[in-house]
Amino acid sequence: MSRYRLCPTSPQEAGLLEHCGHARFVWNLAVEQQSWWTPRRGPAPGYLAQARQLTEARAANPWLAAGSQTVQQQALRDFAQAMSNFFAGTHRRPTWRKAGLHEGFRIVGVRRRQWDVRRLSRRTGEVRVFRWSRPVPEGVKSFRVTRDRAGRWHVAFAAVPDPVPAPGNGQAVGVDRGVAVSAALSTG
C-alpha cells in the first residue's frame, strides 16, 4: 500500500468526517446485528441482505441518504470480509468503531470513472489535495482515507505489487543438523 498525507481544507475535512461517520454508523449497525444472532434464529444476514436493509434505512433517514452510498456499501463489504476472516480463524471478531479512534472509509471502483488521481504540480496532486512525494502506483483499484489520533489525514492506495524474484538458482540443497557438526550441506 502506498500511503500519502492529505491536507484538506476545513470544508473538505468536514466532508471527510461526515463520510467517516456514515461508514462508522453502518459498521456499528452490522456489528450490533451480528451480536444478536444465535444459531436457533437461523443464519445471520450476509452482505446482500444488509445491503437491502441499508437501502431501506437510507429511504427512512434523510441524514443517511445525504451521505455517499458507495462509502456505506463498502463499510458493509468490509464487515462481511471481517466476519469471513473471523470464521476462518485468521482474525478476531469485528468490534465497534469509536469516533476519534477508528476514523476512515474506503472507496472501490474503476479509476477515472468513480474516482481519479491527478498531478497538479511537482509536489501536489488531487484526490482532494495531497503532497506529491512519490508517484501513485499503476493498477490502483481502491483507496482508503483515514485519520489518525493526532488528527492527520492520510490516503492509502491499494495496488498489487510486482512479484519479487526468489533468490538462488532453483536447485535444492539438503541440510543435516548434528551434534559434532552443527550443519552439513548435501553439496559438501
Side-chain angles (χ1 to χ4, degrees):
M1 263 216 195
S2 301
R3 187 173 163 193
Y4 298 82
R5 174 85 185 270
L6 285 176
C7 301
T9 63
S10 294
Q12 289 171 340
E13 186 170 13
L16 291 174
L17 283 171
E18 185 176 355
H19 285 319
C20 290
H22 289 154
R24 184 178 58 251
F25 177 78
V26 169
W27 175 278
N28 286 343
L29 279 180
V31 169
E32 182 179 3
Q33 193 174 43
Q34 189 70 30
S35 70
W36 282 97
W37 177 80
T38 60
R40 64 182 155 79
R41 289 185 179 166
Y47 168 73
L48 294 177
Q50 289 177 331
R52 283 191 294 274
Q53 294 168 358
L54 175 63
T55 302
E56 295 168 7
R58 285 174 59 84
N61 299 305
W63 64 269
L64 192 58
S68 169
Q69 184 175 7
T70 304
V71 168
Q72 295 165 13
Q73 285 178 344
Q74 193 58 47
L76 287 178
R77 284 188 193 273
D78 290 344
F79 180 78
Q81 182 63 48
M83 286 306 297
S84 128
N85 291 343
F86 168 69
F87 288 127
T90 59
H91 292 75
R92 296 185 321 209
R93 180 179 286 276
T95 60
W96 301 93
R97 290 191 175 169
K98 298 170 184 69
L101 295 178
H102 303 103
E103 298 289 354
F105 59 91
R106 191 160 70 109
I107 302 286
V108 174
V110 180
R111 186 173 172 182
R112 308 242 189 264
R113 217 168 102 207
Q114 281 93 355
W115 60 277
D116 193 16
V117 177
R118 286 187 326 148
R119 186 176 208 138
L120 297 177
S121 70
R122 200 175 118 235
R123 296 182 58 94
T124 60
E126 181 177 84
V127 168
R128 278 293 181 194
V129 178
F130 65 94
R131 178 159 253 177
W132 202 274
S133 59
R134 60 193 179 279
V136 175
E138 291 298 321
V140 171
K141 294 191 174 63
S142 70
F143 65 93
R144 180 176 295 276
V145 176
T146 56
R147 189 174 107 175
D148 60 14
R149 292 183 183 189
R152 297 177 301 232
W153 289 92
H154 300 274
V155 61
F157 298 98
V160 178
D162 294 329
V164 177
N169 56 10
Q171 296 180 351
V173 173
V175 178
D176 183 26
R177 295 185 59 205
V179 178
V181 178
S182 62
L185 301 177
S186 63
T187 59

